[in-house]
Amino acid sequence: MTEPAVLFQREGRVAILTVNRPDKLNALNSQVGTETLAHLETIAADDDLGAVVVTGAGEKSFVAGADIGEFAGRAPFDQREAMRFPRVFDVMAGFPKPVIAMINGFCLGGGCELAMSCDIRLASEKARFGQPEINLGLIPGGGGTQRMPRLVGMGNAMKMILSGEMIGAEEALRIGLVDEVVAPDALRERTLALASSIAAKSPLTLRVAKEAMRASEQLPIEDGIRYERDLFCLCFSTEDKAEGVAAFLEKRKAAWKGR
Ligand code: COA
């Protein structure tokens, strides 16, 4: 049997997906894409799982980009075909459960785009970030030119994508590319603590909250605010809203049903 390119573990209500090609710095090849999508389908359908953590195997790398070996000699339409199936990046951004990137090392090219598709990014102090495609005669192809300006502002995105230069974790935190930086040996514990605390909330409410925030990437502000208000009112139809409010008033912990 061939080694899985993506490992799937459960830790309580948290699913951990680990890109497992450490000798290639976890570069994303088509096997990683196919296996990730299959795992995500399983996780989406499993009510015992409330959040996903994505990381890379080994000490050195989160994901060092798309597998450059697969680009050599490829014709445009072959590349288009390879990118045709639902892209992991878009599936993660629209995934019905929160997805957290645990960035343990090199976070480059498609790896940085993968991290940007996640909902929250936690990074080790040793992590390094970049969009080095320009050095290959390429541009980012996994949403980087669109997601990066939204996350870090146009100037910072231009600097990273046009120069191809790498930045460290502190700089990534400063510009908003990551949300928290942790000592390398504390990264797993901190990420799992955050993921578990999120996964313990009402899955239904998490889904609606994520949907409302993702909509802000597409909608003009007035439409977005109207959409949020509609979703807020829709929450008044759920058992979890009745339970959450009752639990607060009765000074007890809420027991979520996901309904
Ligand atoms: N695609 C395919 N293989 C990759 C890879 C990628 N994106 N990134 C690293 N690897 C492979 C290397 O070819 C090497 O394989 P080998 O041992 O069979 O020769 C192995 O992973 C280890 O990488 P190496 O370059 O020896 O490590 P390093 O510490 O010297 O350098 C990097 C680390 C990240 C600076 C360097 O690997 C690199 O620049 N990678 C490409 C990053 C990139 O351009 N990503 C965007 C792709 S669109």
Side-chain angles (χ1 to χ4, degrees):
M1 245 174 76
T2 53
E3 179 87 353
V6 180
L7 306 176
F8 171 27
Q9 295 163 273
R10 291 161 184 270
E11 189 109 2
R13 286 184 51 75
V14 178
I16 306 170
L17 293 182
T18 306
V19 181
N20 185 36
R21 304 183 69 213
D23 55 332
K24 294 289 175 195
L25 304 187
N26 302 319
L28 299 174
N29 62 5
S30 31
Q31 194 190 347
V32 173
T34 308
E35 290 183 25
T36 304
L37 288 170
H39 288 312
L40 287 173
E41 239 179 77
T42 307
I43 295 164
D46 189 335
D47 290 343
D48 291 333
L49 293 170
V52 189
V53 167
V54 180
T55 193
E59 299 286 302
K60 198 170 161 182
S61 184
F62 172 69
V63 168
D67 191 320
I68 299 169
E70 288 191 345
F71 291 163
R74 210 179 238 177
F77 277 89
D78 295 338
Q79 181 59 26
R80 198 160 195 248
E81 187 60 20
M83 294 167 91
R84 188 179 53 85
F85 67 92
R87 309 271 344 252
V88 168
F89 311 99
D90 305 327
V91 172
M92 289 210 175
F95 198 64
K97 301 178 185 190
V99 185
I100 301 175
M102 179 164 81
I103 305 163
N104 50 316
F106 285 118
C107 183
L108 303 174
C112 195
E113 292 171 299
L114 185 69
M116 288 191 287
S117 308
C118 294
D119 302 314
I120 304 172
R121 285 156 291 282
L122 270 63
S124 145
E125 287 164 350
K126 288 202 306 204
R128 309 266 300 151
F129 299 80
Q131 294 289 160
E133 291 89 344
I134 200 89
N135 300 322
L136 300 167
L138 285 169
I139 67 168
T145 63
Q146 305 304 302
R147 290 198 175 97
M148 190 171 265
R150 284 170 163 84
L151 264 181
V152 303
M154 191 59 87
N156 285 315
M158 286 279 185
K159 202 161 90 177
M160 292 204 59
I161 291 173
L162 302 183
S163 76
E165 280 175 11
M166 281 193 229
I167 61 170
E170 283 307 324
E171 175 71 355
L173 182 66
R174 192 187 67 76
I175 65 175
L177 186 55
V178 297
D179 307 301
E180 201 173 314
V181 173
V182 188
D185 53 5
L187 180 65
R188 190 177 171 89
E189 194 183 337
R190 169 64 190 137
T191 308
L192 285 176
L194 179 65
S196 305
S197 119
I198 290 173
K201 313 289 182 203
S202 158
L204 182 62
T205 321
L206 286 174
R207 182 176 185 155
V208 175
K210 173 167 170 174
E211 206 174 304
M213 285 185 274
R214 287 290 177 196
S216 78
E217 295 170 332
Q218 318 230 350
L219 295 177
I221 184 113
E222 276 184 21
D223 294 345
I225 285 173
R226 197 173 310 121
Y227 184 52
E228 178 197 80
R229 197 176 305 137
D230 287 348
L231 290 176
F232 180 81
C233 295
L234 192 64
C235 290
F236 279 63
S237 68
T238 68
E239 288 182 36
D240 283 347
K241 173 263 172 189
E243 166 64 7
V245 171
F248 176 81
L249 296 175
E250 292 160 19
K251 301 189 188 306
R252 61 174 174 81
K253 205 167 172 284
W256 306 120
K257 295 190 178 125
R259 291 197 294 269

